[in-house]
């Protein structure tokens, strides 16, 4: 996965930042299957970046000639020599980001550097790419802050980020719009929600739940507890499988309008308890839930996020796989002994 002499000039070239991360490598897998494009992957390979994800893509051995990798930390600008190696992409999919809310609370400045300065650095490179048709700027449902019961945020609602991670993503979005207006960069912004799928970081809800169900240990579930420590409500999220997120991004490469943002929403809303119970049912073992007051343990975490997906639906996009099938397939994949190392910290 190192620089090849050159890619064919007749095929589209795609730069994916953060491609060794969870969603980035699924997007690569999806686009390898759906197109004949070539790919340059940029990543700094931090704790959440792992090139084994890319090597684990089923078609990797066949497709590796279409992929090359460049190590770079986007806190630093893209210099002339790196710019030459990145080439002149037709699409840039910008996913590189620090994204762990707890870590953003410990080190907010790092998140401003990675997500705001990092975005400005890759956009400055993008301004000089004469072939560029779209720059997809990956943002999150969390920029809107908590969603009141019964409400789902539309794309253009005001941002009310409640922790340093979501504030840095809001800053990333603001620079995307500013580069579109000021320099005409064809920026399309996406708001995605909780993604799940295979090869996710072991600290995330799905692998964590599978581990605790298999080991018969209590699974912490974030919830709102009253003064007597009784359960009032469980945190809830909308969930989407990475395959469906990738399909929406592919759709937006064709139909997304520069300067606009799009909510990519998956399925119905589930509480974390419902998701954990469904996982336990697929495994065929009992879940031992342990309710933890989310705000006492994690200040800045919101109890509910929700996005309205009408805009993308009206344009004609719909998820490719159902929630039940994708959850079932994901859990079964983790249970296969050859994949179980992806469950370990
Ligand atoms: N995972 C989700 O549920 C979710 C939901 C909404 C939005 N998002 C957004 O989608 C994008 C991808 O998320 P993910 O879950 O795949 O994240 P991830 O943490 O799995 O991957 C991020 C990748 O970016 C790389 N990276 C981080 N900072 C970098 C820098 N300064 N320079 C170069 N590389 C850097 C890391 O090494 C890693 O490989 C992020 O922008 C995130 O904010 C994710």
């Amino acid at each position: 996965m190192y620089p090849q002499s050159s890619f064919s000039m007749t095929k589209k070239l795609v730069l994916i930042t953060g491609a060794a991360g969870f969603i980035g490598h699924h997007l690569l897998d999806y686009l390898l299957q759906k197109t004949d494009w070539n790919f340059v992957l940029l990543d700094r390979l931090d704790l959440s970046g792992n090139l084994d994800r890319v090597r684990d893509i089923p078609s990797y051995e066949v497709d590796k000639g279409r992929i090359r990798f460049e190590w770079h930390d986007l806190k630093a600008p893209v210099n002339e020599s790196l710019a030459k190696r990145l080439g002149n992409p037709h699409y840039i999919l910008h996913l590189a980001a620090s994204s762990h809310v707890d870590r953003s609370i410990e080190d907010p400045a790092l998140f401003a550097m990675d997500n705001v300065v990092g975005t400005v650095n890759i956009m400055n490179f993008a301004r000089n790419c004469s072939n560029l048709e779209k720059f997809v700027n990956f943002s999150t449902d969390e920029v809107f802050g908590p969603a009141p019961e019964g409400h789902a945020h539309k794309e253009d609602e005001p941002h009310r980020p409640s922790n340093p991670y979501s504030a840095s993503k809001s800053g990333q979005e603001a620079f995307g719009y500013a580069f579109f207006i000021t320099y005409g960069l064809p920026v399309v912004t996406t708001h995605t929600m909780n993604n799940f799928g295979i090869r996710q970081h072991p600290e995330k809800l799905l692998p964590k739940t599978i581990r605790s169900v298999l080991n018969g240990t209590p699974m912490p579930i974030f919830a709102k507890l009253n003064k007597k420590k009784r359960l009032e409500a469980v945190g809830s999220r909308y969930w989407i499988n990475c395959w469906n997120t990738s399909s929406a991004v592919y759709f937006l490469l064709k139909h997304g309008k520069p300067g606009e943002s799009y909510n990519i929403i998956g399925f119905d809303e589930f509480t974390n308890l419902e998701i954990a119970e469904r996982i336990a049912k697929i495994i065929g073992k009992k879940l031992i839930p342990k309710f933890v007051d989310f705000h006492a343990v994690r200040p800045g975490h919101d109890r509910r996020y929700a996005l309205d997906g009408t805009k993308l639906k009206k344009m004609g996009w719909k998820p490719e796989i159902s929630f039940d099938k994708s959850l079932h397939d994901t859990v079964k994949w983790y249970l296969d002994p050859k994949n179980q190392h992806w469950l370990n910290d």
Side-chain angles (χ1 to χ4, degrees), residues 17-24 42-50 53 72-75 94-99 113-115 118 138-142 165 169 172 191-196 200-201 204:
T17 75
F22 171 56
I23 303 180
L42 180 153
D43 204 294
R44 72 166 174 209
L45 303 178
D46 63 20
L47 282 178
S48 50
N50 183 348
R53 289 199 177 100
H72 181 69
D73 188 333
L74 280 170
K75 292 206 291 302
H94 176 46
L95 290 93
S98 279
S99 65
M113 290 299 293
D114 280 338
N115 300 351
F138 255 74
S139 189
T140 170
D141 52 359
E142 302 193 29
Y165 164 63
K169 295 300 283 185
Q172 168 176 344
H191 299 127
T192 45
M193 47 185 42
N194 271 36
N195 274 254
F196 70 93
Q200 196 162 15
H201 195 282
K204 298 291 182 174

Side-chain angles (χ1 to χ4, degrees), residues 69-118:
F69 176 74
E70 291 292 338
W71 186 93
H72 181 69
D73 188 333
L74 280 170
K75 292 206 291 302
V78 174
N79 64 20
E80 215 176 299
S81 129
L82 176 62
K84 272 194 194 135
R85 296 197 305 278
L86 294 179
N88 192 359
H90 298 82
Y91 299 121
I92 298 178
L93 312 178
H94 176 46
L95 290 93
S98 279
S99 65
H100 194 276
V101 175
D102 288 336
R103 281 194 213 119
S104 81
I105 293 167
E106 283 160 25
D107 191 354
L110 175 70
F111 280 64
M113 290 299 293
D114 280 338
N115 300 351
V116 183
V117 175

Side-chain angles (χ1 to χ4, degrees), residues 151 184 256:
H151 181 74

Side-chain angles (χ1 to χ4, degrees), residues 261-272:
S261 40
Y262 299 90
N263 292 343
I264 301 178
I265 85 153
F267 308 99
D268 294 336
E269 188 173 5
F270 297 100
T271 69
N272 291 348

Side-chain angles (χ1 to χ4, degrees), residues 161-306:
S162 21
N163 57 59
Y165 164 63
S166 44
S168 68
K169 295 300 283 185
S170 180
Q172 168 176 344
E173 274 194 47
F175 269 100
Y177 190 67
F179 269 60
F180 165 68
I181 296 290
T182 312
Y183 307 108
L185 196 72
V187 178
V188 167
T189 301
T190 61
H191 299 127
T192 45
M193 47 185 42
N194 271 36
N195 274 254
F196 70 93
I198 60 180
R199 306 183 203 94
Q200 196 162 15
H201 195 282
E203 79 195 357
K204 298 291 182 174
L205 184 82
L206 240 91
K208 223 166 148 175
T209 307
I210 298 173
R211 253 191 342 260
S212 69
V213 170
L214 287 177
N215 297 337
T217 51
M219 173 64 201
I221 303 280
F222 289 107
K224 189 173 174 199
L225 303 181
N226 66 16
K227 283 188 184 134
K228 292 183 179 160
K229 301 262 179 259
R230 293 234 173 83
L231 187 63
E232 269 191 7
V234 179
S236 75
R237 301 281 185 266
Y238 280 76
W239 290 83
I240 184 166
N241 181 279
C242 276
W243 190 259
N244 288 332
T245 302
S246 304
S247 129
V249 172
Y250 185 42
F251 180 89
L252 286 173
L253 289 180
K254 286 187 229 153
H255 305 290
K257 208 170 142 217
E260 299 258 324
S261 40
Y262 299 90
N263 292 343
I264 301 178
I265 85 153
F267 308 99
D268 294 336
E269 188 173 5
F270 297 100
T271 69
N272 291 348
L273 180 61
E274 284 165 338
I275 291 279
E277 278 171 341
R278 278 166 182 255
I279 294 169
K281 198 168 164 207
I282 296 168
I283 298 175
K285 286 179 100 176
K286 209 170 153 2
L287 175 81
I288 310 170
K290 182 182 160 206
F291 296 106
V292 182
D293 189 85
F294 77 98
H295 215 83
V297 182
R298 308 171 100 189
H301 282 257
D302 299 319
R303 197 181 67 74
R304 177 175 184 268
Y305 296 115

